[in-house]
Amino acid sequence: ITILRYPLWSVVDEGDHFDNIGYIAEHGSYPVLGKAYASEQELAIGQGVYPRHTNINPRADGLAGLSYEAFQPPLYYYLATPAFFVSGNYHTKAIVLRFFGLFLLAVSIALLARLSRHVLKQRWLFGLSGGLLIFLMPGVIVRMVTISDINLAVPLAILTVTELWIAREHLSSRRLLLCGFLVGCGVLTDLYLAELIPVFVLVAGSVLWQNKRRLDLLNVLSAVAIAAVTVLPWLVFNEIKYHSLTASALAKREQIATVNPHQIH
């Protein structure tokens, strides 16, 4: 019901997240912040006139005319791109992408059940029940089925924490190889998931403290390398396009006139 009835676009920048996916599908590359404009279809849907043409000129529409979510890490948008080709109708494309969000919500709940089983053992249903109180809140459902990189960030965070828990519980340095890859994928999905880096460091340190073997040290160093290599292409893209590791500073300059016009600290 939420997918089909909630207005397009949601006020949490849904249209611009949609545009990131559309740009990849149509151009084969990630949009460049400040140079990519909102698509005509996104503007027309937001205006409520699609499939007719919009009368909005994106070049003269300020922030709303820009593809201003292009500073986000790109993993979610690339993974969602195949769903963009399901239909030729752009309104239908958006609905399909919302269903992709619903799928990721279901995956998140399944992963939470797995995490709960590892942490609480026989009492895992208590953990799952508590988690469902959050996942089934109307606001969470709305947020997870509207198009956004958070749709992938949530299940990826739960999966990463679970694998780190297992690695710590079994003192498995080999498991840290997968953890390194998942931490890299997390940063490549949402920069807030960089908070998993110190968690990884603590777990890796704990494993090395218990297992003082050369193989374990090699596995930890390999896990760090895997995480770095996973994120590296995006960082190189940012360095080439923005002369910075991220485009966050440019995004802030773009948005400041809209979100904080009076420069209030």
Side-chain angles (χ1 to χ4, degrees):
I1 292 171
T2 303
I3 287 170
L4 298 176
R5 299 294 299 276
Y6 199 73
L8 285 170
W9 304 106
S10 165
V11 294
V12 289
D13 302 325
E14 184 179 23
D16 287 274
H17 291 294
F18 175 82
D19 257 356
N20 280 1
I21 300 168
Y23 192 95
I24 293 170
E26 294 171 358
H27 296 87
S29 64
Y30 201 59
V32 176
L33 191 68
K35 295 183 178 179
Y37 290 91
S39 67
E40 179 181 323
Q41 294 84 1
E42 186 239 311
L43 294 172
I45 291 173
Q47 197 179 13
V49 299
Y50 184 82
R52 301 191 306 276
H53 292 286
T54 179
N55 59 7
I56 298 173
N57 178 4
R59 297 176 184 273
D61 200 32
L63 182 65
L66 293 171
S67 186
Y68 61 82
E69 287 288 349
F71 72 94
Q72 299 283 6
L75 184 58
Y76 162 76
Y77 306 104
Y78 277 96
L79 289 179
T81 297
F84 197 84
F85 296 106
V86 170
S87 171
N89 182 288
Y90 279 77
H91 189 280
T92 304
K93 290 176 189 287
I95 297 301
V96 171
L97 286 166
R98 283 184 169 187
F99 272 105
F100 179 57
L102 177 62
F103 167 74
L104 291 174
L105 172 60
V107 169
S108 300
I109 293 172
L111 289 172
L112 175 67
R114 176 173 177 254
L115 174 60
S116 186
R117 289 192 70 124
H118 281 286
V119 175
L120 298 178
K121 312 303 181 188
Q122 292 87 355
R123 298 183 177 181
W124 68 275
L125 282 174
F126 289 102
L128 177 60
S129 301
L132 285 175
L133 290 176
I134 304 300
F135 274 119
L136 299 183
M137 283 180 168
V140 175
I141 292 175
V142 169
R143 195 69 178 88
M144 286 294 289
V145 302
T146 49
I147 303 163
S148 169
D149 53 349
I150 199 174
N151 298 352
L152 179 63
V154 171
L156 195 52
I158 298 172
L159 176 59
T160 306
V161 168
T162 305
E163 293 302 322
L164 286 168
W165 178 276
I166 295 171
R168 173 65 186 86
E169 192 173 42
H170 296 282
L171 298 176
S172 172
S173 63
R174 183 175 297 180
R175 196 106 190 180
L176 291 174
L177 298 173
L178 174 59
C179 295
F181 174 69
L182 292 174
V183 169
C185 288
V187 174
L188 208 54
T189 301
D190 190 323
L191 279 177
Y192 284 115
L193 293 189
E195 64 194 15
L196 292 172
I197 294 174
V199 180
F200 172 84
V201 170
L202 287 171
V203 171
S206 176
V207 172
L208 286 178
W209 182 261
Q210 298 291 330
N211 300 330
K212 298 180 176 65
R213 296 174 301 181
R214 183 174 298 178
L215 177 61
D216 295 298
L217 177 60
L218 180 62
N219 283 338
V220 169
L221 293 176
S222 298
V224 172
I226 289 170
V229 169
T230 303
V231 181
L232 186 62
W234 180 57
L235 298 180
V236 171
F237 173 88
N238 289 336
E239 188 62 41
I240 292 171
K241 298 297 182 181
Y242 311 117
H243 308 294
S244 175
L245 291 180
T246 74
S248 298
L250 175 58
K252 194 172 183 178
R253 289 197 298 272
E254 276 191 357
Q255 297 177 20
I256 196 72
T258 299
V259 301
N260 190 12
H262 303 296
Q263 304 287 313
I264 298 171
H265 293 284

